Each structure stands twice: as C-alpha cells, then as structure tokens.
C-alpha cells in the first residue's frame, strides 16, 4: 500500500531530513478518498498514531505525499497531568477524526506560546507560538465537506498537522533558543510555568 513497509500493521515514521516532509502534499478528490486504498491508508495512519503514541499524524510523516491528517487526543494521554497544566493549555480530549485538503483560517489574532514536539523530530521539543483559535474547512474521512472550529490545544494540533501537509515543520516556526532534547527538558523545565522558563531561557 503506497509502497509502505508495514510492521505489525504500523508504518515507520519518517524523520526530518526526508524530502517528503518538505513538499506541499497533493489534494485528493472525494472519489479517491472513498477508494479502498485511501481508506486503508487512513486505518494505517490511525494505528501508527496510536502506537507512537501521538495526538496527530500527517500522511507525509509515513512517506505518503497526500493531504491527509488524522487527529485524536485521548483522555488517557493526560490522566497523570496536573489539571492546572491542562487548563493553561486548554487541552481537552478530541475524538478520532480525519482532515483532508484543509484550508485554515485564523479566528482572531490571539496566540499562545507552549512547548510542542513532533514524531518526525524525535527526541526534541521547543516553544512554538500558535493561534489560539482557528477555523478549518476540509473533507472528512468519507469525503464530505466539514468546517471545524477549534481553540486551545486542539487548534495547536490542527495548525501543526496542516503545516505538515504544506511542507512545514515546527522547527521552522519555533523560538529557536528554546529548542531542547526531551531528557534535558524534563530535567530543567518540567513542572515550571512558561513564565519561569522564559525568565531562564529568554526569547522574543
Ligand atoms: Zn509533527
């Protein structure tokens, strides 16, 4: 399927440096979306995202040059996270869904800065400023048109995944002074507020 070598039904995740992550991916027609091949691809993307685990995965991340992303933020992912930490990020569970050929429109100009990571930049994290609220016009996994309005962490996930479909990675948008290996991030930043971290590292 799409030339992917699956291992137990799961696709390997492409890492930064692979040109497929730097192309604008191709849009799909509703007929293509309903094809057996694309439906199977969406299933593989779902399994791969859940196995990682991650809250989003774009087709280029498994080497497929198509404008498809899957998103799911399960409550179990945050069960051990402090409620205040989740509240600050406006992170709430999001059920599984597929976003195809998305067009993103900002709602307002408010932004938020938080650390984020990417399955294709394994082992690292950095602060990225993202719009607080967005609207996304796209097709769903059945090829039907839909409009998504999102805020908080869900809006961040959508911006991150839609960037992937245009060939952009978070490292293109990050506050580069904050770029950190995950282990060191745990040592130096875990449990600290963004204000405290900013005081130590300092970024514009
Ligand atoms: Zn990513």
């Amino acid at each position: 399927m799409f030339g992917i070598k699956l291992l137990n039904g799961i696709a390997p995740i492409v890492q930064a440096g692979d040109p497929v992550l730097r192309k604008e991916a191709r849009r799909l027609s509703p007929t293509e979306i309903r094809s057996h091949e694309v439906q199977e691809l969406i299933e593989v993307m779902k399994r791969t995202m859940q196995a990682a685990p991650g809250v989003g995965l774009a087709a280029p991340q498994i080497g497929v040059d198509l404008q498809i992303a899957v998103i799911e933020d399960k409550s179990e992912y945050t069960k051990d996270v402090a409620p205040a930490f989740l509240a600050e990020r406006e992170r709430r569970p999001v059920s599984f869904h597929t976003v195809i050929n998305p067009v993103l429109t900002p709602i307002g100009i408010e932004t938020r800065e938080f650390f984020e990571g990417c399955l294709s930049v394994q082992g690292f994290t950095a602060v990225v400023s993202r719009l607080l609220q967005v609207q996304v016009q796209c097709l769903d996994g059945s090829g039907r048109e839909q409009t998504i309005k999102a805020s908080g962490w869900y809006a961040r996930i959508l911006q991150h995944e839609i960037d992937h479909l245009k060939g952009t990675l978070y490292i293109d948008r990050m506050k580069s002074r904050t770029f950190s290996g995950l282990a060191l991030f745990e040592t130096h930043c875990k449990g600290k507020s963004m204000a405290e971290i900013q005081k130590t590292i300092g970024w514009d």
Side-chain angles (χ1 to χ4, degrees):
M1 191 204 40
F2 293 98
I4 309 168
K5 287 201 179 83
L6 299 179
L7 188 65
N8 297 324
I10 289 159
I13 295 175
V14 166
Q15 294 299 305
D18 192 310
V20 72
L21 292 173
R22 291 318 200 165
K23 284 171 74 174
E24 173 152 9
R26 184 174 72 74
R27 293 164 67 85
L28 293 96
S29 71
T31 312
E32 275 183 287
I33 294 167
R34 288 189 278 269
S35 71
H36 176 73
E37 205 183 17
V38 170
Q39 290 300 310
E40 208 184 322
L41 173 66
I42 292 169
E43 276 308 305
V44 167
M45 288 176 63
K46 181 180 184 178
R47 284 199 299 269
T48 303
M49 171 178 67
Q50 290 175 340
V55 294
L57 185 77
Q61 292 185 275
I62 57 167
V64 178
D65 175 30
L66 292 174
Q67 288 203 19
I68 306 175
V70 291
I71 291 173
E72 180 181 40
D73 196 356
K74 294 186 189 186
S75 55
E76 65 182 75
Y77 295 156
T78 54
K79 65 177 171 20
D80 299 324
V81 180
F85 185 92
L86 296 177
E88 190 188 15
R89 281 152 188 75
E90 297 178 58
R91 183 165 172 184
R92 297 169 287 266
V94 178
S95 54
F96 177 84
H97 65 101
T98 307
V99 170
I100 299 174
N101 303 345
V103 175
L104 186 139
T105 314
I107 302 177
I109 54 163
E110 238 187 296
T111 54
R112 291 285 185 275
E113 289 183 350
F114 290 113
F115 280 89
E116 67 180 61
C118 177
L119 296 173
S120 295
V121 189
Q122 223 170 16
F124 293 94
T125 183
V127 170
V128 183
S129 176
R130 298 282 189 189
L131 289 161
L132 179 63
Q133 288 184 289
V134 296
Q135 179 172 308
V136 175
Q137 220 112 22
C138 62
L139 301 179
D140 67 12
S142 315
R144 283 187 297 255
E145 283 190 36
Q146 59 170 357
T147 304
I148 300 169
K149 278 190 180 162
S151 67
W153 204 256
Y154 179 30
R156 177 173 294 266
I157 298 169
L158 281 164
Q159 289 166 82
H160 180 116
E161 297 311 326
I162 293 170
D163 268 354
H164 271 302
L165 303 179
K166 317 288 174 187
T168 297
L169 299 174
Y170 85 80
I171 51 176
D172 306 332
R173 300 190 186 276
M174 70 182 176
K175 305 289 180 187
S176 54
R177 286 181 61 87
T178 66
F179 188 62
S180 170
L182 272 178
L184 284 162
F185 174 78
E186 295 278 306
T187 306
H188 298 290
C189 298
K190 205 178 175 186
K192 289 187 185 161
S193 70
M194 289 302 291
E196 278 178 275
I197 298 168
Q198 177 151 30
K199 232 187 201 167
T200 316
I201 304 173
W203 67 87
D204 299 331

